[in-house]
Amino acid sequence: MEERLPPPPPPPPPPQPYATNSPKLQIPYIGPGTYVVQVPKDQVYRIPPPENARIAENYRNSPGRDKKRSCCCCFFICLITFIAILIIVGAIIGGLFSIVLKPKSPKFSIQRFQLKNSTRPLYNITLKVNNPNSKVGINYKGGDVSLSLKQREIAKGAYPSFYEAHDSSKEIRLALKASKGDLPKEVDKSMKNKKKKVNVTFTLTIKVHAQMKMWSLRSGTITYNITCQVKVDMLPKNTRVLSQQCETKRL
């Protein structure tokens, strides 16, 4: 007899369709330490949502920050360039002023010397300032004045600011306040000795800033250092200047 073959096994049941409205998602088991995030298809955006498109449009229409930065950079570059041009032009004009006109330094001389002895002695010095330039005026911008005796400062004051026209002379008064403390021995001796004249030699030092001027042209600021050695006969009254030697240096 022929052997009968067993009937074939029944086919496996078809897979169950996935229910979109299923409250729970079936997640296959994955080993510990691994995370899988599933996002529903209706929340995956291939096109930006409307609110993002609106934000991008507003940002595109608003003035950009790059434009503001570029404007600021251009402004500062123009300002720095303008200042640099002014400095260069001023230097060129000052150089031409000194080369073409060759202005001379002013001359100084002491006309009167007086000491007022009070609680704080005051030295009154009358100074004559001469401008030897025939076309250039001098605008003095103030400075410092000191009076010394044997290389020791005994009084100081300020040099005034004023304008002196070309080819002219002017007298100015310097009021120098004595330093705190007693008068130097030589000064005190000359003040008290009224019968015999006691000569005293002082050193007057002036440091003044000036500017040459001709019409609307001006030179750069010039600093002069003036040193005068002056010898007086007596200090109480009617003080006479016996000799003096003034030297002017341009710094």
Side-chain angles (χ1 to χ4, degrees):
M1 293 181 63
E2 296 180 357
E3 294 182 359
R4 293 184 179 180
L5 297 173
Q16 296 292 333
Y18 175 74
T20 58
N21 58 355
S22 176
K24 295 183 179 179
L25 297 176
Q26 295 181 0
I27 301 175
Y29 173 76
I30 301 176
T34 305
Y35 298 91
V36 176
V37 179
Q38 290 188 354
V39 181
K41 291 183 178 180
D42 56 350
Q43 294 184 13
V44 178
Y45 298 105
R46 290 183 176 85
I47 300 175
E51 57 268 19
N52 288 359
R54 195 177 304 111
I55 293 173
E57 186 67 22
N58 293 337
Y59 185 80
R60 191 182 300 112
N61 294 334
S62 62
R65 296 180 180 178
D66 293 338
K67 293 182 179 179
K68 291 183 179 179
R69 290 181 181 177
S70 61
C71 291
C72 292
C73 290
C74 290
F75 173 75
F76 283 114
I77 290 173
C78 292
L79 181 62
I80 293 172
T81 304
F82 179 72
I83 294 174
I85 291 173
L86 285 181
I87 294 174
I88 294 172
V89 171
I92 293 173
I93 292 175
L96 292 176
F97 196 99
S98 301
I99 294 172
V100 176
L101 297 177
K102 296 180 180 180
K104 300 177 182 178
S105 299
K107 297 179 180 180
F108 300 83
S109 61
I110 297 174
Q111 300 299 303
R112 287 178 291 277
F113 194 104
Q114 184 183 12
L115 172 60
K116 284 187 176 181
N117 192 9
S118 58
T119 55
R120 189 172 181 183
L122 185 69
Y123 295 86
N124 292 322
I125 300 174
T126 303
L127 196 67
K128 184 178 181 181
V129 186
N130 177 264
N131 180 10
N133 297 286
S134 59
K135 297 180 180 179
V136 180
I138 303 177
N139 186 21
Y140 295 96
K141 296 184 176 183
D144 301 319
V145 184
S146 67
L147 186 67
S148 303
L149 179 64
K150 293 184 177 181
Q151 299 182 350
R152 194 190 95 181
E153 185 182 87
I154 59 174
K156 60 182 179 179
Y159 190 90
S161 299
F162 62 94
Y163 176 76
E164 186 177 15
H166 60 86
D167 199 14
S168 64
S169 298
K170 188 172 184 178
E171 288 189 355
I172 61 172
R173 184 179 177 183
L174 304 177
L176 309 181
K177 292 182 180 180
S179 304
K180 293 182 180 179
D182 298 333
L183 288 173
K185 293 180 180 180
E186 295 84 351
V187 176
D188 187 57
K189 185 178 180 181
S190 179
M191 290 285 294
K192 292 179 179 180
N193 197 339
K194 297 182 180 179
K195 295 182 179 181
K196 184 179 179 181
K197 296 180 180 181
V198 178
N199 301 337
V200 184
T201 302
F202 297 92
T203 301
L204 183 69
T205 304
I206 304 172
K207 186 177 182 180
V208 62
H209 307 286
Q211 191 177 41
M212 301 296 180
K213 180 181 177 183
M214 187 181 71
W215 304 313
S216 59
L217 298 177
R218 297 174 182 267
S219 69
T221 301
I222 304 170
T223 302
Y224 291 106
N225 193 7
I226 304 99
T227 304
C228 293
Q229 301 285 342
V230 56
K231 184 178 181 180
V232 296
D233 58 354
M234 56 185 299
L235 292 174
K237 291 181 180 180
N238 302 322
T239 303
R240 286 194 313 144
V241 177
L242 299 177
S243 63
Q244 62 175 303
Q245 184 178 0
C246 293
E247 182 181 6
T248 303
K249 291 183 179 181
R250 180 174 173 175
L251 302 180

